[in-house]
Every structure is written in C-alpha cells, then in structure tokens.
Amino acid sequence: MIEVRFHSSLYDAEAVTEAIDVYADFARFERVGGDAAAPYIHVRIEASADGEISEEDVRAEFANYALGRTIERRDGREVAS
Amino acid sequence: MSESTDLAVSLGAGTISFEIDGSLYPQDALYGAAYVFLDRCYVLLDRVSDNRVRVLLRGKTKDAALDGDALAGEFQNELLGQTWRRKIAEDNRSLIEAITARALGGAAGPPGLDDLLEMDVGSETAFDDPLGIAMSWEEKYAKGKSDAAKTAKDAAPADAAPAEDPPEVTP
Amino acid sequence: MNVQNPLPAFRPFVAAGAAAQKPLDLVEVRYRPLPNAGGDVLLTNPFGDWVFVTQGEMSALVRGQLDDGTPLHQKLAAKNFIRSKISVETEAKRLARKKRFLAYGPNLHICVVTLRCNETCVYCHASRADMDQVQTDMSPEIGEKVVDFMLQSTSPGVTLEFQGGEPLANFPVMKHIIEYAVQKNRAYGKQLDFTLVSNLGLMTEDKLSYLVDHKVQICTSIDGPEALHTKQRVLVGGNSHREAARWIERINKKYIELGLDPTLYHVEALLTTTREALKYPREIVDTYRNLGCRAIFLRPVDPFGFAKKTAGRIEYDRREYHDFYRTAVDHILSLNAKGEEILERYAAIFLTKILMDEDSNFLDIRSPSGSAIGALAYNYDGSIFSSDEGRMIHEMGDDFFKIGDVRTSKYRDVMKHETVRALVLASIRETQPDCNVCTYAPYCGIQPEHSYRSQGSIFGQMRQSTLCSVHKGIQDFLFEKLHTGDASTVDTLKRWTTIRERSHFIQSSAAS
Ligand code: SF4
C-alpha cells in the first residue's frame, strides 16, 4: 500500500479520475477523503499481487499521467477519447 | 530565476526537489515546462504555500546517472523560456488571428478552423460543417452532376486552392 | 553507428536571469538548439519560415535586444521574423494555399475487399483471415455502395485503394468495383484513380493485364533483405520475397513496354519497420535499389501495447529508430551524391513543407490529420472507419473509429459524426500541449489513431509518443543537413521535394 496526494490547485480532479481508469489494470486505486473543499486529492494504491510492475512504478506512472492529463485538459482538450 | 529557485535538493533514489516562486511565472509556463519532462522523468508538483510550488523530478532510466543540478537547471531554463515565449506569443495574438481569419475564412468568407474548434459536440448539437466537408457532392455544388467538376473549381475559395488535390510526393 | 548527440546544454534563459525580456518586434517564435549544428539554434515561426541563429544571437534575443539595422535584425527580417514587416495579406494567402485540403472532403478511400490472406505476417494477427474464410469477402453489392459513398465526397479527386487481407484473393469483386466506379464516375467527373496494395503472391499474367489495362497503380510490401522478409512474411509453400521481387520486375517491365517513364512509373513498395529491421538500415536500402524502387518510406515501428509501455523500452525504441533512420538516409544521400536518384519519403514529406512552403497533403502528417476528413476506410462488410488503422483497431475489438456503414449511413452524417469532430480537434498540432511550443509544429502532424493505440487517447501525450519522437528526430536530422550548407546534400534534398503527378493512372473523367 502506497499513497500519493495531488494539490487541487495544481491537478485537475477529472484528470486524476482518468489516470485511475487507465492504470486500473495494474493496481487497486482508492480515493481517500473525497471532501470537495479539501486542497488535496489523496489516492491509495495497492498493486495487484501478480503485477509485474512495482507499486512505486505504478505510482510514478500514474502521477505522470494525471499531470499530463491535467495540462491537456487545461489546454481545452476535454473531448473524451 | 536564480532568486526564485532554491538549490536543487537531492532526496536520494534519483529524486531531486526544488521550489519555485509561483507568483513570478504563469501557471501555463510551469505546466509547459513540466510537460517537457514527462518523457524522461516522473514529475510531481506540490504546493508548499500560496506562492511556492515544489517540483519533484525522478529520472525514468535507472541506469543513467542522474545529474540533479543539470536537471534542475534545465527545468529552470525551460520555465523561463516558456514564460518568455508566451509573452511574445501574446504580443502576436492579434496578428495570427488576422492571418488565420483571412486565410481560412471568418466574417468575410467561408468559416475556418476556428469555427471547427468552437463547434459543440453532441448528437443533437450536430456540428455545422463550416467547411462544407460534410455536404455531399451534390449538396455542396448544387448543380447538375455532369458539370460538377467544373463547379468545384469555381467554388474553391479564390485564395485557397486549385481544384486538384495536392498530389502526394513522388520520386 | 551514426549516433545522435544529446541536445547541448545551452541555457540562455538561466544565464539572462532577471535580464530576460521579450524583444518588441519579434513574431511568435519557437526555438530548438539542434543536437549536431555546432551549437546553433533553429527558430521557426507559425508561417513555416525558419532560420538558424548563433548562441550569441539567441542570448541577445532572450535579453530583448533586437535593434533595427543590426545584422540580427536584418537576418530575421529577411526570413519573416519581424512583426512590423509582415503582410497579413501575403501570410494569409500562404496559409490558405497550404491548408487548401480543408476545403474538401476525403480524397483517399480504402476499400478492404477481403480479410483473407495467403501470407502470415508476424505483425498482422488481427486484420487477416485464412484463405477459407470466404465470409470475409466483400460482396459486389457492398462494393457498389462503397463507390456510391466515395463519390459523395466533396473532393474533386478521389483515389480508391484496394487493401486486405490480400485484395487479389477477391479479384472478381475488385474488378466489379473498378468497372462500376469508372461507369458511375461519368456522372460526377471526378479525377479518379485506383491503387492496389498487394503482396503479389496471388498475381497472375491475366490479373496483371487487367490491372495495367485499367490503369491500377500497384503497391507492394518489402520488409528488407530476403532473409528478413521471408521471416516476417510467411508464404505457405513459397518464398514471399522471391514472389514479390519476380512480380515487381515483371510489372516494371510492363510499364516500360507501355512507353512510360520508369523513374516515375514503377511498383511502389512499402516497408514495415520492425525491431528486427532496425538492424539492417543499409541492407534495406540496397534491397529496394536492387528491386528498382526509387523511393523508400522508412516508417517507424508500429505502436506496441500500452501494458508493455515501460520507460526503458520507449527509450530503446527511440534511440534505435533514430540511429536506423540516420544511417539509412546517410546511405541514400551518399548514393545520390554518386548520381543515383533515390529518395526517402518521410524526408520528402517534411522537406516539401520546409523548403518549398507547400503541403503535399500526406494525410498522416498534416494538421489537422486526414483521419475521416481526408480519408475513409471501408471494411468488407460495409462499415466505415476514419482510417485503415481505425479499422484494424476495430478488428481488435474496439469500435471507437467506426463512423458509419455504407448500407445505412448518409455521407453527411458520417462527416458530422462526433468521433470525426474529436479527431479533428485532437490532431490540430498548434493546440496540443508541447506541440504548441514545438519548433516543428508548422511542418508536423500526428495521426490520432496512433496515439489512441499506443497511449489510450486520441490526443496522446507527445512527450511520451514514439511517433512524436520519430518526427522530431527526422526533422532534427533534416535541419542538421540543411545547416551544413553542403551544396550537393542540399541539392539532393531539394530534388526530393519535386512533385510529379502520375497522370497515366488517372481515369479519363470526361462526362461521356
Ligand atoms: S508531434 Fe512532436 S515533433 Fe510534431 S509538433 Fe508535436 S511535439 Fe513537435
């Protein structure tokens, strides 16, 4: 079990949700807290037992994806794909 | 930049961290710089205070020796460069808009790319097809089929195009 | 190995620190210190102009120093980089000319007449069927509907490209479609031509006579030297390379017999670059030469699955491909220097934009991309896709790129499909993060299907995109060559941009 937090002034909540969807095959993700007013989005990550990728690697890839999507969404690319 | 950035701090395991003064740079520039590193590094941003953002970078390739100072320097350069470039782009916005509008249509001509970008998506709000791409051949040229090709030539925007598709490159 | 240097550590902004400021009369610029250009920095503007500046000149620009009358000002003014000297009228005309493809609908129509194939290729599992799977043949009725649909396009010129599977496995229907299209087009008067993409393993003299008589351009696949080709493309009971080579020679001879110029009329061959192929840059070029092919398209390695996308693997691919490309094209350039005319098509596409201020409308490298608005793919069952890659993704069980059916859809509804709109939005380079600050945006293009397949999103993240890396690497290489100023190399590169139309393949379109 490992945790990562994203400050809501820097990360888009929808982008974090997309990242969870994309990486769902590699680990179990759980959003902790869920208070809309909270400055942080906390996500707990538990890699699948048979996963070939470590929890730390999933966290790093997942956080990169969330940041990338935040930037893309901000540039007006909200159309779902 | 040097006055706004703490010295790069190594956190071990190939990770470096430094802070930047968020009030000096547009957030777009910070994002633009962060984006540039996404292929080589794992990038995490964190807010330390209202005006300060911490950047954490970890190289993706474990074998390559990570030069933390070089990476931090590169990030700073990118951040400043993106800020500089964005200011110039802002000065040029109206020129680019004027050229695009004139080239691809706008008020005085057939609608252009901007219209494409502004169109609503959704099954009911079917897009308006400003370029006429979605029209059928007959609809677009609305004439007898036998002279359709000639009509197509005539219908091409005066500045825009010969009727032929640009051929592909051949040896 | 022709190893690409890492980008030099040139940090003019850090050096300027608080002294950094914008020059007042500069147009919007994008900059890139090139890996092998003696430290010089490439500048491009949104109109497609480019210029090299020294590090000293770049440092001056970073400090806002751009006084009228200085050599730097003169140099930039000559290349359209000074705002007060720009004519809106002139630039608008240039842009309109280069984007004229936006005035028309799709011109390339890919018709998959069957999924059946006589060969088994290592990279093609999902979009082929065994030879007994006749239910994957297109029927004549569907074929007619494909033609009817194609002719609805607002493009004054249309190319109907037969693909498979192996199209020759359903030759009777292919013939029917050709004859129906020619007859039906009499009422439309479009510039119509046909292309066949075939492994040539099922070619016969009769089929060839028909294809030549009906002016069907023939393309095939050559993966490299015989050992590599036959390893990757298995022809049961035969040698796929020898079959293809035999027919290439035969077809080229036939064109000569017709009195056609062999430098323009010959079988086109396409390379599928696999990891294995990356080991043989020179050998692949020589194989093409020996087959009489004058153009080689060094396409990048196909995207691999998302699950396997680890950083190490990406880096490996990128480096390997860049080395492969540089070695192969250096070899091609040295052959040209000795008087042999042969070109690399990827380079030619970019160079046409860079040197000729023209867009050759190559659908996968334009902005917005040609997905749906430049090309459509029709499956054997009549379903319509935004591209052949979109159709292949459908064969893997994902319908994202399916935008209609020739039996039920109206042309207008297909073009108005929300996926089409999303594809247009996703493929305008100037609006994508990273591309919007990239020096190469004026010349670049990314097919959104590639991003979808390799990254799970039609927008893609260009920093992690192997295709973006390929495009950057190729343009770095080309600009480095231009930077050398070597007359023979620059002449060769200019020659590659010459556009010669193969008018013989155009069907007579007179409304007779
Ligand atoms: S795809 Fe890559 S090379 Fe092309 S414009 Fe975008 S960032 Fe530049």
Side-chain angles (χ1 to χ4, degrees), chain C residues 464-494:
Chain C
Q464 321 235 36
S465 158
T466 47
L467 195 54
C468 162
S469 160
V470 163
H471 288 188
K472 254 190 202 136
I474 291 176
Q475 292 176 88
D476 277 350
F477 176 78
L478 296 174
F479 274 109
E480 282 166 19
K481 291 288 174 202
L482 294 172
H483 180 265
T484 64
D486 176 70
S488 142
T489 304
V490 173
D491 275 358
T492 300
L493 297 181
K494 280 192 181 144

PDB file of all heavy atoms in Angstrom, chain C residues 464-494:
ATOM      1  N   GLN C 464       5.550  11.450 -24.655  1.00  0.00           N
ATOM      2  CA  GLN C 464       5.689  10.005 -24.476  1.00  0.00           C
ATOM      3  C   GLN C 464       5.373   9.258 -25.768  1.00  0.00           C
ATOM      4  O   GLN C 464       5.305   8.041 -25.772  1.00  0.00           O
ATOM      5  CB  GLN C 464       4.723   9.526 -23.394  1.00  0.00           C
ATOM      6  CG  GLN C 464       4.615  10.473 -22.244  1.00  0.00           C
ATOM      7  CD  GLN C 464       4.911   9.801 -20.915  1.00  0.00           C
ATOM      8  OE1 GLN C 464       5.766   8.924 -20.834  1.00  0.00           O
ATOM      9  NE2 GLN C 464       4.188  10.198 -19.894  1.00  0.00           N
ATOM     10  N   SER C 465       5.106  10.003 -26.835  1.00  0.00           N
ATOM     11  CA  SER C 465       4.699   9.366 -28.083  1.00  0.00           C
ATOM     12  C   SER C 465       5.921   8.983 -28.902  1.00  0.00           C
ATOM     13  O   SER C 465       6.774   9.830 -29.200  1.00  0.00           O
ATOM     14  CB  SER C 465       3.819  10.342 -28.874  1.00  0.00           C
ATOM     15  OG  SER C 465       3.815   9.999 -30.239  1.00  0.00           O
ATOM     16  N   THR C 466       5.991   7.731 -29.292  1.00  0.00           N
ATOM     17  CA  THR C 466       7.118   7.321 -30.125  1.00  0.00           C
ATOM     18  C   THR C 466       7.047   8.009 -31.484  1.00  0.00           C
ATOM     19  O   THR C 466       8.063   8.319 -32.089  1.00  0.00           O
ATOM     20  CB  THR C 466       7.131   5.793 -30.348  1.00  0.00           C
ATOM     21  OG1 THR C 466       5.828   5.389 -30.703  1.00  0.00           O
ATOM     22  CG2 THR C 466       7.582   5.058 -29.128  1.00  0.00           C
ATOM     23  N   LEU C 467       5.829   8.263 -31.952  1.00  0.00           N
ATOM     24  CA  LEU C 467       5.687   8.890 -33.266  1.00  0.00           C
ATOM     25  C   LEU C 467       6.202  10.328 -33.233  1.00  0.00           C
ATOM     26  O   LEU C 467       6.886  10.790 -34.146  1.00  0.00           O
ATOM     27  CB  LEU C 467       4.218   8.847 -33.706  1.00  0.00           C
ATOM     28  CG  LEU C 467       3.949   9.116 -35.169  1.00  0.00           C
ATOM     29  CD1 LEU C 467       4.749   8.203 -36.068  1.00  0.00           C
ATOM     30  CD2 LEU C 467       2.456   8.951 -35.472  1.00  0.00           C
ATOM     31  N   CYS C 468       5.872  11.047 -32.155  1.00  0.00           N
ATOM     32  CA  CYS C 468       6.394  12.413 -31.996  1.00  0.00           C
ATOM     33  C   CYS C 468       7.912  12.365 -31.963  1.00  0.00           C
ATOM     34  O   CYS C 468       8.586  13.171 -32.611  1.00  0.00           O
ATOM     35  CB  CYS C 468       5.845  13.040 -30.719  1.00  0.00           C
ATOM     36  SG  CYS C 468       6.774  14.478 -30.155  1.00  0.00           S
ATOM     37  N   SER C 469       8.444  11.405 -31.242  1.00  0.00           N
ATOM     38  CA  SER C 469       9.901  11.295 -31.149  1.00  0.00           C
ATOM     39  C   SER C 469      10.512  11.031 -32.527  1.00  0.00           C
ATOM     40  O   SER C 469      11.553  11.606 -32.883  1.00  0.00           O
ATOM     41  CB  SER C 469      10.243  10.173 -30.180  1.00  0.00           C
ATOM     42  OG  SER C 469      11.550   9.738 -30.382  1.00  0.00           O
ATOM     43  N   VAL C 470       9.846  10.200 -33.309  1.00  0.00           N
ATOM     44  CA  VAL C 470      10.311   9.923 -34.663  1.00  0.00           C
ATOM     45  C   VAL C 470      10.287  11.205 -35.495  1.00  0.00           C
ATOM     46  O   VAL C 470      11.245  11.547 -36.191  1.00  0.00           O
ATOM     47  CB  VAL C 470       9.416   8.833 -35.307  1.00  0.00           C
ATOM     48  CG1 VAL C 470       9.581   8.812 -36.813  1.00  0.00           C
ATOM     49  CG2 VAL C 470       9.748   7.469 -34.722  1.00  0.00           C
ATOM     50  N   HIS C 471       9.186  11.942 -35.399  1.00  0.00           N
ATOM     51  CA  HIS C 471       9.062  13.164 -36.193  1.00  0.00           C
ATOM     52  C   HIS C 471      10.117  14.200 -35.777  1.00  0.00           C
ATOM     53  O   HIS C 471      10.686  14.887 -36.618  1.00  0.00           O
ATOM     54  CB  HIS C 471       7.654  13.737 -36.064  1.00  0.00           C
ATOM     55  CG  HIS C 471       6.645  12.913 -36.806  1.00  0.00           C
ATOM     56  ND1 HIS C 471       5.343  13.300 -36.970  1.00  0.00           N
ATOM     57  CD2 HIS C 471       6.744  11.722 -37.436  1.00  0.00           C
ATOM     58  CE1 HIS C 471       4.703  12.379 -37.671  1.00  0.00           C
ATOM     59  NE2 HIS C 471       5.537  11.407 -37.954  1.00  0.00           N
ATOM     60  N   LYS C 472      10.331  14.289 -34.475  1.00  0.00           N
ATOM     61  CA  LYS C 472      11.356  15.231 -34.008  1.00  0.00           C
ATOM     62  C   LYS C 472      12.729  14.801 -34.513  1.00  0.00           C
ATOM     63  O   LYS C 472      13.509  15.619 -34.998  1.00  0.00           O
ATOM     64  CB  LYS C 472      11.382  15.240 -32.480  1.00  0.00           C
ATOM     65  CG  LYS C 472      10.770  16.481 -31.907  1.00  0.00           C
ATOM     66  CD  LYS C 472      11.028  16.590 -30.429  1.00  0.00           C
ATOM     67  CE  LYS C 472       9.959  17.505 -29.868  1.00  0.00           C
ATOM     68  NZ  LYS C 472       9.368  17.072 -28.645  1.00  0.00           N
ATOM     69  N   GLY C 473      13.001  13.519 -34.388  1.00  0.00           N
ATOM     70  CA  GLY C 473      14.309  13.002 -34.797  1.00  0.00           C
ATOM     71  C   GLY C 473      14.561  13.225 -36.278  1.00  0.00           C
ATOM     72  O   GLY C 473      15.663  13.621 -36.677  1.00  0.00           O
ATOM     73  N   ILE C 474      13.551  12.973 -37.096  1.00  0.00           N
ATOM     74  CA  ILE C 474      13.727  13.141 -38.542  1.00  0.00           C
ATOM     75  C   ILE C 474      13.930  14.615 -38.880  1.00  0.00           C
ATOM     76  O   ILE C 474      14.805  14.981 -39.674  1.00  0.00           O
ATOM     77  CB  ILE C 474      12.514  12.565 -39.303  1.00  0.00           C
ATOM     78  CG1 ILE C 474      12.501  11.033 -39.171  1.00  0.00           C
ATOM     79  CG2 ILE C 474      12.542  12.973 -40.777  1.00  0.00           C
ATOM     80  CD1 ILE C 474      11.313  10.357 -39.805  1.00  0.00           C
ATOM     81  N   GLN C 475      13.140  15.487 -38.248  1.00  0.00           N
ATOM     82  CA  GLN C 475      13.282  16.907 -38.565  1.00  0.00           C
ATOM     83  C   GLN C 475      14.609  17.456 -38.027  1.00  0.00           C
ATOM     84  O   GLN C 475      15.231  18.300 -38.664  1.00  0.00           O
ATOM     85  CB  GLN C 475      12.057  17.683 -38.063  1.00  0.00           C
ATOM     86  CG  GLN C 475      10.816  17.289 -38.885  1.00  0.00           C
ATOM     87  CD  GLN C 475       9.539  17.950 -38.394  1.00  0.00           C
ATOM     88  OE1 GLN C 475       9.196  19.048 -38.799  1.00  0.00           O
ATOM     89  NE2 GLN C 475       8.829  17.278 -37.515  1.00  0.00           N
ATOM     90  N   ASP C 476      15.045  16.969 -36.876  1.00  0.00           N
ATOM     91  CA  ASP C 476      16.386  17.344 -36.391  1.00  0.00           C
ATOM     92  C   ASP C 476      17.429  16.997 -37.459  1.00  0.00           C
ATOM     93  O   ASP C 476      18.288  17.801 -37.808  1.00  0.00           O
ATOM     94  CB  ASP C 476      16.748  16.558 -35.117  1.00  0.00           C
ATOM     95  CG  ASP C 476      16.171  17.175 -33.846  1.00  0.00           C
ATOM     96  OD1 ASP C 476      15.658  18.310 -33.916  1.00  0.00           O
ATOM     97  OD2 ASP C 476      16.227  16.514 -32.796  1.00  0.00           O
ATOM     98  N   PHE C 477      17.335  15.774 -37.944  1.00  0.00           N
ATOM     99  CA  PHE C 477      18.296  15.269 -38.931  1.00  0.00           C
ATOM    100  C   PHE C 477      18.273  16.134 -40.190  1.00  0.00           C
ATOM    101  O   PHE C 477      19.321  16.554 -40.706  1.00  0.00           O
ATOM    102  CB  PHE C 477      17.935  13.815 -39.252  1.00  0.00           C
ATOM    103  CG  PHE C 477      18.765  13.186 -40.328  1.00  0.00           C
ATOM    104  CD1 PHE C 477      20.049  12.738 -40.063  1.00  0.00           C
ATOM    105  CD2 PHE C 477      18.262  13.013 -41.612  1.00  0.00           C
ATOM    106  CE1 PHE C 477      20.814  12.135 -41.055  1.00  0.00           C
ATOM    107  CE2 PHE C 477      19.012  12.422 -42.599  1.00  0.00           C
ATOM    108  CZ  PHE C 477      20.299  11.978 -42.325  1.00  0.00           C
ATOM    109  N   LEU C 478      17.072  16.452 -40.673  1.00  0.00           N
ATOM    110  CA  LEU C 478      16.964  17.227 -41.911  1.00  0.00           C
ATOM    111  C   LEU C 478      17.499  18.641 -41.723  1.00  0.00           C
ATOM    112  O   LEU C 478      18.223  19.163 -42.577  1.00  0.00           O
ATOM    113  CB  LEU C 478      15.503  17.261 -42.387  1.00  0.00           C
ATOM    114  CG  LEU C 478      14.926  15.898 -42.780  1.00  0.00           C
ATOM    115  CD1 LEU C 478      13.438  16.020 -43.087  1.00  0.00           C
ATOM    116  CD2 LEU C 478      15.668  15.318 -43.988  1.00  0.00           C
ATOM    117  N   PHE C 479      17.149  19.247 -40.600  1.00  0.00           N
ATOM    118  CA  PHE C 479      17.642  20.612 -40.372  1.00  0.00           C
ATOM    119  C   PHE C 479      19.163  20.615 -40.166  1.00  0.00           C
ATOM    120  O   PHE C 479      19.842  21.567 -40.553  1.00  0.00           O
ATOM    121  CB  PHE C 479      16.913  21.265 -39.198  1.00  0.00           C
ATOM    122  CG  PHE C 479      15.623  21.925 -39.625  1.00  0.00           C
ATOM    123  CD1 PHE C 479      14.395  21.398 -39.269  1.00  0.00           C
ATOM    124  CD2 PHE C 479      15.637  23.070 -40.410  1.00  0.00           C
ATOM    125  CE1 PHE C 479      13.203  22.002 -39.677  1.00  0.00           C
ATOM    126  CE2 PHE C 479      14.456  23.688 -40.817  1.00  0.00           C
ATOM    127  CZ  PHE C 479      13.238  23.155 -40.456  1.00  0.00           C
ATOM    128  N   GLU C 480      19.677  19.568 -39.566  1.00  0.00           N
ATOM    129  CA  GLU C 480      21.136  19.495 -39.430  1.00  0.00           C
ATOM    130  C   GLU C 480      21.787  19.421 -40.808  1.00  0.00           C
ATOM    131  O   GLU C 480      22.827  20.043 -41.052  1.00  0.00           O
ATOM    132  CB  GLU C 480      21.533  18.268 -38.610  1.00  0.00           C
ATOM    133  CG  GLU C 480      21.329  18.459 -37.119  1.00  0.00           C
ATOM    134  CD  GLU C 480      21.400  17.149 -36.347  1.00  0.00           C
ATOM    135  OE1 GLU C 480      21.955  16.160 -36.876  1.00  0.00           O
ATOM    136  OE2 GLU C 480      20.877  17.131 -35.225  1.00  0.00           O
ATOM    137  N   LYS C 481      21.170  18.663 -41.693  1.00  0.00           N
ATOM    138  CA  LYS C 481      21.712  18.569 -43.059  1.00  0.00           C
ATOM    139  C   LYS C 481      21.642  19.934 -43.742  1.00  0.00           C
ATOM    140  O   LYS C 481      22.575  20.342 -44.433  1.00  0.00           O
ATOM    141  CB  LYS C 481      20.922  17.550 -43.889  1.00  0.00           C
ATOM    142  CG  LYS C 481      21.116  16.116 -43.431  1.00  0.00           C
ATOM    143  CD  LYS C 481      22.509  15.626 -43.788  1.00  0.00           C
ATOM    144  CE  LYS C 481      22.783  14.247 -43.204  1.00  0.00           C
ATOM    145  NZ  LYS C 481      24.205  13.956 -43.081  1.00  0.00           N
ATOM    146  N   LEU C 482      20.529  20.632 -43.567  1.00  0.00           N
ATOM    147  CA  LEU C 482      20.395  21.959 -44.179  1.00  0.00           C
ATOM    148  C   LEU C 482      21.404  22.914 -43.553  1.00  0.00           C
ATOM    149  O   LEU C 482      21.950  23.782 -44.229  1.00  0.00           O
ATOM    150  CB  LEU C 482      18.966  22.483 -44.005  1.00  0.00           C
ATOM    151  CG  LEU C 482      17.890  21.683 -44.750  1.00  0.00           C
ATOM    152  CD1 LEU C 482      16.494  22.153 -44.359  1.00  0.00           C
ATOM    153  CD2 LEU C 482      18.069  21.806 -46.274  1.00  0.00           C
ATOM    154  N   HIS C 483      21.655  22.726 -42.268  1.00  0.00           N
ATOM    155  CA  HIS C 483      22.585  23.603 -41.562  1.00  0.00           C
ATOM    156  C   HIS C 483      24.003  23.472 -42.111  1.00  0.00           C
ATOM    157  O   HIS C 483      24.755  24.442 -42.149  1.00  0.00           O
ATOM    158  CB  HIS C 483      22.568  23.279 -40.063  1.00  0.00           C
ATOM    159  CG  HIS C 483      23.482  24.123 -39.248  1.00  0.00           C
ATOM    160  ND1 HIS C 483      24.766  23.733 -38.915  1.00  0.00           N
ATOM    161  CD2 HIS C 483      23.319  25.361 -38.696  1.00  0.00           C
ATOM    162  CE1 HIS C 483      25.339  24.682 -38.203  1.00  0.00           C
ATOM    163  NE2 HIS C 483      24.491  25.680 -38.056  1.00  0.00           N
ATOM    164  N   THR C 484      24.363  22.282 -42.561  1.00  0.00           N
ATOM    165  CA  THR C 484      25.733  22.106 -43.076  1.00  0.00           C
ATOM    166  C   THR C 484      25.964  22.981 -44.307  1.00  0.00           C
ATOM    167  O   THR C 484      27.087  23.383 -44.589  1.00  0.00           O
ATOM    168  CB  THR C 484      26.014  20.640 -43.514  1.00  0.00           C
ATOM    169  OG1 THR C 484      25.151  20.332 -44.623  1.00  0.00           O
ATOM    170  CG2 THR C 484      25.799  19.660 -42.392  1.00  0.00           C
ATOM    171  N   GLY C 485      24.876  23.239 -45.044  1.00  0.00           N
ATOM    172  CA  GLY C 485      25.009  24.060 -46.240  1.00  0.00           C
ATOM    173  C   GLY C 485      25.745  23.333 -47.359  1.00  0.00           C
ATOM    174  O   GLY C 485      26.057  23.924 -48.398  1.00  0.00           O
ATOM    175  N   ASP C 486      26.026  22.054 -47.175  1.00  0.00           N
ATOM    176  CA  ASP C 486      26.733  21.280 -48.204  1.00  0.00           C
ATOM    177  C   ASP C 486      25.901  21.261 -49.489  1.00  0.00           C
ATOM    178  O   ASP C 486      24.763  20.769 -49.502  1.00  0.00           O
ATOM    179  CB  ASP C 486      26.962  19.855 -47.679  1.00  0.00           C
ATOM    180  CG  ASP C 486      27.603  18.973 -48.734  1.00  0.00           C
ATOM    181  OD1 ASP C 486      28.775  19.197 -49.044  1.00  0.00           O
ATOM    182  OD2 ASP C 486      26.899  18.087 -49.266  1.00  0.00           O
ATOM    183  N   ALA C 487      26.484  21.818 -50.557  1.00  0.00           N
ATOM    184  CA  ALA C 487      25.693  22.071 -51.770  1.00  0.00           C
ATOM    185  C   ALA C 487      25.080  20.797 -52.345  1.00  0.00           C
ATOM    186  O   ALA C 487      23.906  20.772 -52.714  1.00  0.00           O
ATOM    187  CB  ALA C 487      26.570  22.750 -52.812  1.00  0.00           C
ATOM    188  N   SER C 488      25.860  19.735 -52.385  1.00  0.00           N
ATOM    189  CA  SER C 488      25.356  18.503 -53.004  1.00  0.00           C
ATOM    190  C   SER C 488      24.209  17.916 -52.171  1.00  0.00           C
ATOM    191  O   SER C 488      23.176  17.495 -52.704  1.00  0.00           O
ATOM    192  CB  SER C 488      26.525  17.526 -53.163  1.00  0.00           C
ATOM    193  OG  SER C 488      26.129  16.227 -52.919  1.00  0.00           O
ATOM    194  N   THR C 489      24.359  17.919 -50.841  1.00  0.00           N
ATOM    195  CA  THR C 489      23.297  17.386 -49.983  1.00  0.00           C
ATOM    196  C   THR C 489      22.041  18.237 -50.105  1.00  0.00           C
ATOM    197  O   THR C 489      20.926  17.717 -50.258  1.00  0.00           O
ATOM    198  CB  THR C 489      23.767  17.369 -48.507  1.00  0.00           C
ATOM    199  OG1 THR C 489      24.961  16.621 -48.431  1.00  0.00           O
ATOM    200  CG2 THR C 489      22.712  16.763 -47.596  1.00  0.00           C
ATOM    201  N   VAL C 490      22.219  19.558 -50.039  1.00  0.00           N
ATOM    202  CA  VAL C 490      21.051  20.437 -50.092  1.00  0.00           C
ATOM    203  C   VAL C 490      20.348  20.297 -51.448  1.00  0.00           C
ATOM    204  O   VAL C 490      19.119  20.271 -51.523  1.00  0.00           O
ATOM    205  CB  VAL C 490      21.460  21.902 -49.795  1.00  0.00           C
ATOM    206  CG1 VAL C 490      20.290  22.852 -50.007  1.00  0.00           C
ATOM    207  CG2 VAL C 490      21.989  22.027 -48.379  1.00  0.00           C
ATOM    208  N   ASP C 491      21.133  20.163 -52.526  1.00  0.00           N
ATOM    209  CA  ASP C 491      20.529  19.963 -53.852  1.00  0.00           C
ATOM    210  C   ASP C 491      19.695  18.690 -53.891  1.00  0.00           C
ATOM    211  O   ASP C 491      18.589  18.663 -54.417  1.00  0.00           O
ATOM    212  CB  ASP C 491      21.623  19.839 -54.925  1.00  0.00           C
ATOM    213  CG  ASP C 491      22.064  21.193 -55.413  1.00  0.00           C
ATOM    214  OD1 ASP C 491      21.481  22.192 -54.926  1.00  0.00           O
ATOM    215  OD2 ASP C 491      22.984  21.255 -56.253  1.00  0.00           O
ATOM    216  N   THR C 492      20.252  17.629 -53.324  1.00  0.00           N
ATOM    217  CA  THR C 492      19.517  16.359 -53.294  1.00  0.00           C
ATOM    218  C   THR C 492      18.213  16.526 -52.518  1.00  0.00           C
ATOM    219  O   THR C 492      17.140  16.105 -52.964  1.00  0.00           O
ATOM    220  CB  THR C 492      20.378  15.253 -52.637  1.00  0.00           C
ATOM    221  OG1 THR C 492      21.557  15.103 -53.405  1.00  0.00           O
ATOM    222  CG2 THR C 492      19.630  13.935 -52.570  1.00  0.00           C
ATOM    223  N   LEU C 493      18.313  17.143 -51.344  1.00  0.00           N
ATOM    224  CA  LEU C 493      17.109  17.300 -50.517  1.00  0.00           C
ATOM    225  C   LEU C 493      16.061  18.139 -51.247  1.00  0.00           C
ATOM    226  O   LEU C 493      14.862  17.867 -51.170  1.00  0.00           O
ATOM    227  CB  LEU C 493      17.464  17.930 -49.169  1.00  0.00           C
ATOM    228  CG  LEU C 493      18.404  17.099 -48.274  1.00  0.00           C
ATOM    229  CD1 LEU C 493      18.677  17.816 -46.953  1.00  0.00           C
ATOM    230  CD2 LEU C 493      17.835  15.707 -47.984  1.00  0.00           C
ATOM    231  N   LYS C 494      16.521  19.135 -51.975  1.00  0.00           N
ATOM    232  CA  LYS C 494      15.569  19.959 -52.745  1.00  0.00           C
ATOM    233  C   LYS C 494      14.907  19.125 -53.831  1.00  0.00           C
ATOM    234  O   LYS C 494      13.710  19.267 -54.095  1.00  0.00           O
ATOM    235  CB  LYS C 494      16.293  21.147 -53.374  1.00  0.00           C
ATOM    236  CG  LYS C 494      16.523  22.283 -52.398  1.00  0.00           C
ATOM    237  CD  LYS C 494      16.973  23.544 -53.136  1.00  0.00           C
ATOM    238  CE  LYS C 494      17.226  24.656 -52.138  1.00  0.00           C
ATOM    239  NZ  LYS C 494      18.350  25.503 -52.526  1.00  0.00           N
TER     240      LYS C 494
END
